[in-house]
Amino acid sequence: MPSTLKSSEMKDRTRARELAAEFHRRGDPTGWFEALYQEGEAGKSVVPWANLCPNPRLLDLWNAHPLPTAGKMALTIGCGLGDDAEQLAAWGFQTTAFDISETAIRACRKRFPTTKVEYLAANLLDPPLTWRRAFHFVFEANTLQALPAALRPRAIKNIADFLCPGGLLLVIDRGREPSDPEGQMPWPLTRTELSAFNAAGLEELSFEDLLALEEPAEPGVRRFRVLYRFTT
């Protein structure tokens, strides 16, 4: 049974889902991220994952199991408005953060004008070659669940390739059983999909099935929090 976490996050995903469907019909399944951030910047839409605070499930894990950070490099995937990346930098990592949306990256730099984080616009499906085996800690939350299932194997392989030997990867995404419907974006992942990380050479160190109480009017949201290590 999933354990339970509490959250006060309130989200409106209507416009994000409309844009995701529209760009998918166009054959551009990742183009909607930039469109949504542009609308969000203009005050026309809500970016539903932009909570303006670090991911509470990252904080929980870190508080229970802090890691050495001196001389270590970290990467935040799909960094959004930068809160997770800033937290990693505050813990002492030399941090790089990227998002496919150039508008999001500009917003990060504006929000944190004295940041030590290197913010870059980049595509997880075609990342810079210099990032291969470059990072001691990689954080992915809510990005895989926003990608269509057909794109996830490639994304997972690229994420695994970011880790240097002995490096750690923390993944936090919505989860479901294979028999459950995929639902609307964000599309929850199955454990079978996550097993692609093992096929890419990562060792699963811990797996948690969490039920997050995010909105009083809705049932809890099931999430998987998984810690991996690159060992080969």
Side-chain angles (χ1 to χ4, degrees), residues 52-216:
L52 305 183
C53 61
N55 189 303
R57 296 154 203 93
L58 169 64
L59 298 178
D60 287 344
L61 188 70
W62 189 273
N63 290 334
H65 306 286
L67 300 173
T69 61
K72 306 290 186 180
M73 297 183 64
L75 178 69
T76 302
I77 295 168
C79 65
L81 298 183
D83 296 280
D84 296 327
E86 293 297 320
Q87 184 61 70
L88 292 176
W91 284 331
F93 284 111
Q94 182 179 336
T95 305
T96 300
F98 76 95
D99 201 283
I100 196 171
S101 167
E102 294 184 358
T103 298
I105 294 302
R106 288 197 303 271
C108 291
R109 293 169 178 159
K110 183 176 181 180
R111 288 187 69 208
F112 305 105
T114 61
T115 186
K116 296 181 180 179
V117 176
E118 181 181 18
Y119 287 105
L120 298 167
N123 186 347
L124 176 58
L125 300 176
D126 187 22
L129 294 177
T130 54
W131 289 357
R132 180 177 171 82
R133 304 288 176 239
F135 297 96
H136 300 89
F137 184 79
V138 175
F139 182 53
E140 186 284 308
N142 306 327
T143 298
L144 289 173
Q145 68 185 33
L147 295 176
L151 297 180
R152 289 175 182 170
R154 181 177 173 186
I156 287 173
K157 178 63 166 59
N158 289 344
I159 292 171
D161 285 349
F162 293 144
L163 289 172
C164 67
L168 297 175
L169 164 67
L170 179 61
V171 173
I172 302 173
D173 282 288
R174 291 186 177 222
R176 66 177 177 90
E177 295 300 316
S179 57
D180 294 337
E182 291 186 2
Q184 301 184 74
M185 191 289 302
W187 301 285
L189 282 74
T190 65
R191 289 207 69 175
T192 299
E193 287 181 288
L194 289 173
S195 69
F197 282 114
N198 303 108
L202 305 191
E203 174 191 4
E204 183 182 296
L205 299 180
S206 66
F207 177 89
E208 296 169 277
D209 193 341
L210 306 172
L211 189 65
L213 303 178
E214 298 183 354
E215 301 177 22

Side-chain angles (χ1 to χ4, degrees), residues 13-25 32 185:
R13 301 178 185 85
T14 303
R15 182 55 178 160
R17 287 168 172 165
E18 290 174 349
L19 286 170
E22 176 186 338
F23 276 80
H24 187 75
R25 288 192 296 268
W32 65 276
M185 191 289 302

